Amino acid sequence: MMNYRARHIKTIDTQQDGQQRNSDLFEDGEDADIFREISLIPEETNRSDAIHPMDVQMAVFQCADSFLKQLMVTKLSQCQYALPLLVPDPFTQEIEFPLWTFRQINKSWKMKETNNEIISIIQPVWKAETPMVSFFRFDSVSSSKSQLMNSLINEKHNTFFHRNCPGSSKTRVLMDGVVEIAWYCPSGKKTDKFTQCVAFCNLHGDAGDNEKQLQILTEMTSVNVVILPQLDRNDKSAANIQNLFKDRKPLICLLTEDKAKVFEIRKGKYKIGLKDRNQSDVSEEVIKAINNCLSFSSLESSFVFRLEDVSKYSGITVDEDYDNECSKGKKAAQQMMVLLEKKDLTEIKESFLPCQGKPWHQWCEKNKELHRSQGNEIDIEINQKQDMKKFREQQYKKDIGDFMKLFIAEINSQSPNEKIFFLKWLTVLLDEYTSADLSALHHKYDEKWSNVLKLKENNDRFEQQMATNLSNEQTELDKISEKLQAATFGLEHILREIGQIYESCKSVNKNKEGLPCDFSSLPSLAAEMMISGFPLELMDGDAAHVPVVWVTAVLHELIQKLGDQRVFVLSVLGIQSSGKSTMLNAMFGLQFGVSAGRCTRGAFMQLVRVSDKMKEQLKFDYILVVDTEGLRALELSGRSTRHQDNEMATFVVGLGNLTLINIFGENPSELQDILQIVVQAFMRMKKVRLNPSCMFVHQNVSEVTAGEKNMEGRRRLQQTLDEMTKLAAKDEVFDAECFNDVITFDIQKDVKYFAQLWEGSPPMAPPNPSYCENIHELKTTFFSHASKSDGLELTHLKGRINDLWEALLNERFVFSFRNALEIATYRKLETEYSKWSWSLRRTMLDIENKLYINIENETIDEVSESHLQIKLKVKSEEVEKSMSDFFERDKDKDILIQWKASFYIKINELQENIVRETKRKLNEILQQRDMKKRIDAQRTRHENTLLEKSKELAIKLKDKANDETILKKEFGKFWKECVNKIITETPPNKDIDVLKDMKQFLSNYKSVPVNAWKKNRDIFSVPNYSDYVQLKKSCGITEYVKNAFSSAKQKFEFKTQIRALVNDIAQHVDNMIMSYNIAKMGYNKSCIQELADYIKIRVEDYGQGSRDYVFTKEFYMDLVISICKRENKVITDQYTMFREANDPVFYFEKKSKEYYSIFQKYCQGATSAAIFGEIICQKLKDPIQKSVYKDTARDLTNEIQTKCDSLNGNRSKLEKHILKNLAEVEDFGKYITYFNTPRDHLKSFVRDEVNQYITNKFRVSVQPKMKENIKLLQQKIMAAAHRATSLVNTTGDVQKWLNHFTLQLSDVLIFSVKDLIGVSHDGVDDFNLLEDVISEELGSVSSEIQQKFSSNTFPVNLEHKDRPDEILIDHLCQCCWVQCPFCATTCTNTIEGHSGDHSVPFHRVDGLTGSCYDETECLSADFCTTLVRTSKMFYTGQWFPCREYRNAGNVYAEWNITPDFSELAYWKWFVYRFQEDLEKHFEKKFHMWDVISYEWSQYSKEQAIESLDEYI
């Protein structure tokens, strides 16, 4: 929509040479002489005329491409301006007929029939057949021809630009020779100047100079009107005038130098003088003469003007012909239209667009029934799903037809411009094809509706007869309504058909027969159309359903083509025919349909690209405008659609970042109805934490300039909104007293009053400039709102559409809405939290390692929390800054704010826990250090004794130093004697038998049966605990639970509780065993007793709780033995490490080569410094290896945590990878472990992933890290040696050198002076030599360590706590482990003890827990999300409907389970794949397996794995 006043904008003359400065002007009044002073003013000889407005218009027109030209002409038509019909090229003078530019223009008018009945006509101008009146000018005339024409068409509007218009100038460059055309459209009233639609053509310039244009117009016209100064036989134009006079067509001569009134010279030939005459009188005479001429010429059909006929004249070019792309598009569209010829319009959709017909509507209805049913009977639900599948199959089997084949083939094969031409042509031709029939049907409908209203008025007086008549009329009305719906046929229906072709193919996952392309490419076509500016149907208005599969597929393709751009969604709501689409088209230049009889059905969305300049103010790339079907729109049959209105309002309000509520007129009842619907929609958004904004546009308000009235209107609107809020609050059970309790709303800024759209009465009225100004003001306010929003990513928009529609289908919107954006944002926050927590843990691991080295080197004797906090402070501040930046700068910061406080608390708690746990571990090491001293001292004494004795032997064999055979033989004999002596002095380390020790300990319990050990079952893999529990009764303990419990759900509840207890005890036992540090301290039987006692206390404490059952004696027994068997390997492996480190035979066997090397040097007479240097390096070997392995492990852990896809995200992502891995392996036993002990399975998964990562990346990542670490360590050792040498070189004190050397390494290696106590260093005085020896030997040590380093030795040579998998397990297990009370799925929140409800991205089949239907032994086949939709009952001491599961309290109240149909294909595949294994495991059958197995068998493993990606 354009402001027609824009054509009157004047150019500013910046030249001021015609004026003088004020200081130069005459001021003296006595000598003033007007005649003299005026004569002094110079003539403006050099001053150029202003640019003519029509030259600007034609310059733009000449330079524009076909699409812009069409847009310009369409806008000129909307502004009721004349349109260029014949346009000479300014350089070649070749005449162009821009027929293409007229194709989108429709004109409407009303005419009286012979029986005085007024009929309405709407026609495209290129198709209209009307009389034409042509105006020509010969020579220069004093009167304005264009101005005179305006007075004939619309005296209040300058249809043709003339010399007296604002901004006009004397000269014009591009208008001479241009022919403009305008149409007079009558309104069917007495005031009409002409009783029929008349085309008026205006040839600009002297007609004598534009002979070709004159010839074409005179041949096509019905009446010629010539304006010239005077009739003169000698004038150059006399011949032209004579020819026109002789022609049989009527002629009206307007003479500017003649004063005579109208005079008819002969039949159809008139003369009218203009000089000194009243303009109004002249206009009346001309109108009367034209009407007389038209009545005369109407007898001849040759005088009828058709716009397309202009193209038949030679000597002119037609834009549609010379534009190759346009002609190709037209030809393709015409080929399609040929297929529609001679077809009944009311049957055309059924014939040519079958996929959107009955099967689709039936599927939609069945889908709504399925979502809104109580779902108590699984067979009914399955039947509904099978019906839906049947409808989809019917839809798929529908023949695609030549029409759709041709459309898809054409749109697939065309260039981008050809495609746009083709689509525009098709729209034009379809409008032409349907317009006549639609008009006739609307006319019939109006007549019938009027009859119905009359019958309703008279119903009381003639009740029975009238009721029968009314019923008959209503039936007829329904039939016409159905015909109207069937006859509406446009491009949107073709695109809807493509969508349904796609959905039907997708449902069976195969291509439709005859489809000219793969069905998977169809969304790409629609995405390209959206990018080109065409609207896409978001909601099918006929089926009242959102084709979610199609819409999300198109948006996915849009993301592929544009990237995941941010969009700001603007939605519009309002009553039908209130100008919503018109307003949007005016605001953004869109293409929403606004023609009469073609009101928006459903909802459409259209993309508007934000310019680079606007992006400086806005935070998004596109505006997505959503136009909707009118609210309170009675169906054509008269039925109310209140429920559909509520759905529509909730849907678009939830979708929009801003919603415009469009109110038309001031009818209070209409206002209240629409506001209640809108308020209710906003209230629902508030309850699901969506926060859109809104604006009200009050259209068609009279006297919009009256400020007082606007203030009163605002006050009434606020009052009405508050009243509607109270009413809606009752329906929605929401606490709100006023509208501002629901949404942030400023009554002053967010309410706009719009003037009437037309300035005057249609059809000849131009758009109201005030309306255009109102649009501009609305756009300014809109951008002010939009600038504060980040919009939505297209990915999130796709999810939001799905979530909103799914929730609306379930009717219980607030309970069913799954806010995908909020979920995605929270997962993003969880991922960041994982990074922050890992950063703190990683730093604390480094701190812990340094302090551990200090403890072992005995440089510290105490570790305090304050000391650790100081060490962690720098990293803590970094994390805090990172958190602050994330919460303040992330694009979703408005959503994140709700969790900010709780996450700061969680990070602080985590930090405190890390500090506390590190202090505990280090203090345990301090305690264990003192206990280890004896072992270490004894080993050091043995080492030193061996060194001294080997030295003594070397002195004896000094003369045989070169005979290696003798040396090896003598050293071997010596070594064997020494080691044997050490063995006799050292008590042997016995083999341990953990299971035997536990058995012996348990035998002391009187209550334990003798054969319990043999009979026990693995408590971690039993399908249920029925044999371990007895039911309490008032009279005491009674029979086993499996015979007493009537409810399967109650059985499941106690099973879940016991499973949680068992897993928690096992986890704590695992921690206790780690704390014993058996690898360092050795094994003690007392730890077994401690574990058994701990388990006993936990079981007894649990039994003291207020439960309906108690454990049998066998429970404790089996639990202890099962845990013992599970931990046996861990304890045994740790003890093996202890033995290897402390067994003298094993230890000294490893050291023999090192000692032989030193022995050789003794024999060869090496200096004391050389031997001492080698001894130091041999002593450093183990510490270096431990340090390098440990540092490499920490570096590798950090890399895995960052780069390993399965381990580097949040808990949900980890869960997805666990499930994918389980499916790939297809090991039923692993699935059972996953179900029963999810924490254990997670640990196993992490270990496998880490081992795989180490194996795959060993050469490219692990080995280089190790080499880098060993190199750094070498540099530190040599730096320490060099520093020690520089400090003591002058004193020659070797002990001092040693003290300095070890002190500098005290933070780096577990190596201190005590390691060299007893080692002789007599004669060591050359410290430079000592440094060189250390450097050389260190290289050998490093090479040896590197040679032994492999993917196998790496994890083996690490302490358990330092292994990458154990570090990551510790990090990843700090999450929530609460299980769903129905299906036992573990909550996927990354944070342990998180705030808010427990939730999972996908639940699983309840039967996987062994859960049965009440009073049956049949495994449940329900998903939790489906179950909580229903009124099925479960028992927890009392009965509760599943849909009200939160009322059961306890863990039920802590879970958020969205009631929907998100039944993950993964679990359907699993149950079908392992059905026999499951039934064997639980010793039960699945309920109605024959019925459900058909659908579940359709999923392949690949589809199952892919389905996981849909949720995470």
Side-chain angles (χ1 to χ4, degrees), residues 1381-1408:
F1382 291 107
C1383 68
T1385 304
T1386 306
C1387 173
T1388 52
N1389 200 300
T1390 307
I1391 305 162
E1392 193 170 14
H1394 60 88
S1395 59
D1397 291 333
H1398 301 294
S1399 64
V1400 289
F1402 38 75
H1403 287 263
R1404 57 194 184 214
V1405 178
D1406 290 357
L1408 298 182

Side-chain angles (χ1 to χ4, degrees), residues 242 473 527 596 704 715 783 916 1001 1088 1180 1247 1452 1496:
Q242 189 69 276
E473 291 291 310
V704 293
R715 187 192 67 76
F783 282 118
R916 198 179 302 117
F1001 174 73
I1088 293 297
L1180 281 170
R1247 289 187 184 109
Y1452 292 95
W1496 292 16

Side-chain angles (χ1 to χ4, degrees), residues 646-657:
N646 280 328
E647 272 189 0
M648 175 73 74
T650 306
F651 184 66
V652 300
V653 164
L655 206 54
N657 297 103

Side-chain angles (χ1 to χ4, degrees), residues 653 677-690 724-739 742-743 813-814:
V653 164
I677 292 168
V678 168
V679 169
Q680 198 161 359
F682 280 116
M683 199 169 283
R684 288 173 170 181
M685 296 311 111
K686 179 87 169 177
K687 291 173 82 172
V688 296
R689 296 193 301 281
L690 294 181
M724 294 304 104
T725 300
K726 290 175 185 176
L727 284 174
K730 291 178 183 177
D731 288 346
E732 293 292 324
V733 193
F734 188 80
D735 183 19
E737 291 295 319
C738 62
F739 188 57
V742 178
I743 190 170
F813 177 83
V814 173

Side-chain angles (χ1 to χ4, degrees), residues 363-537:
W363 186 93
C364 294
E365 284 301 316
K366 194 59 70 174
N367 191 33
K368 288 182 178 179
E369 283 177 25
L370 179 65
H371 279 80
R372 291 167 187 179
S373 65
Q374 295 297 307
N376 296 332
E377 296 297 330
I378 193 167
D379 52 340
I380 295 174
E381 192 173 297
I382 288 169
N383 288 336
Q384 286 174 323
K385 288 180 180 178
Q386 287 177 344
D387 285 344
M388 288 172 66
K389 187 176 179 65
K390 180 183 71 178
F391 295 142
R392 277 297 192 199
E393 287 171 352
Q394 289 175 5
Q395 195 182 18
Y396 173 76
K397 289 174 184 174
K398 292 281 185 184
D399 182 25
I400 194 171
D402 293 338
F403 185 80
M404 288 306 301
K405 282 181 190 174
L406 185 57
F407 180 85
I408 294 169
E410 288 293 343
I411 206 167
N412 253 320
S413 62
Q414 294 166 338
S415 67
N417 268 7
E418 281 178 20
K419 195 177 294 182
I420 297 173
F421 273 117
F422 167 64
L423 292 170
K424 284 181 174 287
W425 268 115
L426 190 56
T427 304
V428 167
L429 296 177
L430 282 172
D431 281 347
E432 178 210 359
Y433 180 77
T434 60
S435 59
D437 287 345
L438 279 173
S439 294
L441 282 169
H442 273 290
H443 183 67
K444 282 184 184 177
Y445 180 82
D446 290 341
E447 283 185 341
K448 195 60 65 178
W449 181 242
S450 300
N451 292 342
V452 168
L453 291 177
K454 286 177 185 176
L455 286 169
K456 283 182 178 178
E457 288 174 9
N458 299 325
N459 199 20
D460 294 337
R461 281 174 285 174
F462 310 102
E463 207 165 309
Q464 190 165 356
Q465 184 185 350
M466 286 296 164
T468 305
N469 292 342
L470 182 61
S471 176
N472 293 337
E473 291 291 310
Q474 185 72 49
T475 303
E476 287 296 315
L477 193 67
D478 288 346
K479 288 179 181 177
I480 299 171
S481 171
E482 288 170 7
K483 284 184 178 180
L484 260 173
Q485 192 167 327
T488 308
F489 186 79
L491 184 60
E492 67 269 26
H493 298 99
I494 296 172
L495 289 176
R496 182 191 292 173
E497 185 72 5
I498 291 178
Q500 287 314 306
I501 290 171
Y502 174 81
E503 287 204 345
S504 63
C505 291
K506 184 76 175 172
S507 69
V508 296
N509 207 29
K510 57 185 177 182
N511 226 40
K512 202 175 182 74
E513 189 178 344
L515 191 63
C517 64
D518 192 278
F519 79 90
S520 60
S521 67
L522 295 177
S524 178
L525 300 179
E528 286 170 7
M529 288 178 64
M530 277 194 79
I531 295 168
S532 299
F534 289 90
L536 178 76
E537 187 175 56

